[in-house]
Amino acid sequence: MTTDTDVLIAHCRESGQRITGPRRIIADVVAHAHDHPDISELHRRVAAIDPRISLSTVYRTLKVFAATGLIERHSFAGGRVRIEPAAERHHDHLINVDTGEVVEFRSDAIELLQAEVAKQLGFELTGYKLVLFGRRTAKSDEQGAPLRPNCE
Amino acid sequence: MTTDTDVLIAHCRESGQRITGPRRIIADVVAHAHDHPDISELHRRVAAIDPRISLSTVYRTLKVFAATGLIERHSFAGGRVRIEPAAERHHDHLINVDTGEVVEFRSDAIELLQAEVAKQLGFELTGYKLVLFGRRTAKSDEQGAPLRPNCE
DNA sequence: ATGCACATGCGAATGATTCTCAGTTAATAT
DNA sequence: ATATTAACTGAGAATCATTCGCATGTGCAT
């Protein structure tokens, strides 16, 4: 139960949501999940703290958190959705196709170009989804969260 | 049954696949599907030609076509997968968040930057997924295939 | 303290996709 | 042409992630 968690809780309360036991715990787990876990993994961690908390509640609470912008939901591999606490600073992801490892990065240049491209097509850019897939170049292969490599 | 279709058929045969009645029809429908339909929509079109063709067969055949690189499978909106015949020239997509309209575009600059970013992170870029979301700027709103706007 | 709207848990429902399996059929050899 | 056989197909069951329905439980404003 750290400051991170408190921030989540605070935002949640501000947006008129009730702070319940399950939500406290889920907020706590999410705030410390810096490895882009999927929802069953989150439920596993939550259940390790309080086994009475159901998967439904995790789904529902995450939806609430997402609606308030407290977390982000990614679908890197087409299949299950993966969660990360909302970052102060926006970033994108590179997936190691060999290990599933998720690397975060940001590039202002790419974002500028995207807005530029959209404008040229007659659109105002409201959002985008960018995921890079790659393979480590002639270096040690590091660890990585299990994730189905490749993307549909 | 046009040249496009024949090309699909030819590629299919080359890769050691059998050319069956259903596959002919599916190839034909896919070759003319320039609107990124989802799989049930494809099945609808296929069934309009031969109602005996099952949804399973459409799924299976599309998987075969995809494995051979004859089509591309996109998951723009998180939910169902959408199909397009493989293009000579690679391109990305911009989704009109108001109408679901899919606009194709390409930007060498963005692709160069992506490879650059990956390299800086110590990766060789093997692929990427880029989807822009936008809203038409002060112009007539055009038509668009129905698609759930926004993306998780 | 109390009430009630919102939250929870459980299991059932959904929706897309995949699998199973018995019956067909294309491609190849005869 | 015909037989052979491995690949293909249709129908429905199975799977998997996610959502729903509903009876019960519980924050929190009064």
Side-chain angles (χ1 to χ4, degrees), chain B residues 91-106:
Chain B
H91 61 255
D92 296 307
H93 300 88
L94 182 154
I95 313 285
N96 183 331
V97 295
D98 294 321
T99 67
E101 173 192 13
V102 176
V103 179
E104 302 181 349
F105 71 88
R106 87 185 309 279

Side-chain angles (χ1 to χ4, degrees), chain B residues 18 20 23 52-53 56-57 60:
Chain B
R18 281 190 190 167
T20 66
R23 286 190 179 177
R52 292 171 308 174
I53 297 174
S56 307
T57 296
R60 270 186 299 235

Side-chain angles (χ1 to χ4, degrees), chain B residues 17-32:
Chain B
Q17 305 300 330
R18 281 190 190 167
I19 308 308
T20 66
R23 286 190 179 177
R24 245 175 236 289
I25 293 178
I26 294 171
D28 193 41
V29 168
V30 164
H32 293 86

Side-chain angles (χ1 to χ4, degrees), chain A residues 13 18-19 39 55-56 59-60 63 80-81:
Chain A
R13 177 171 280 127
R18 279 190 192 164
I19 309 307
I39 296 186
L55 182 56
S56 308
Y59 270 103
R60 270 186 297 234
K63 198 179 293 184
R80 63 199 70 185
V81 164

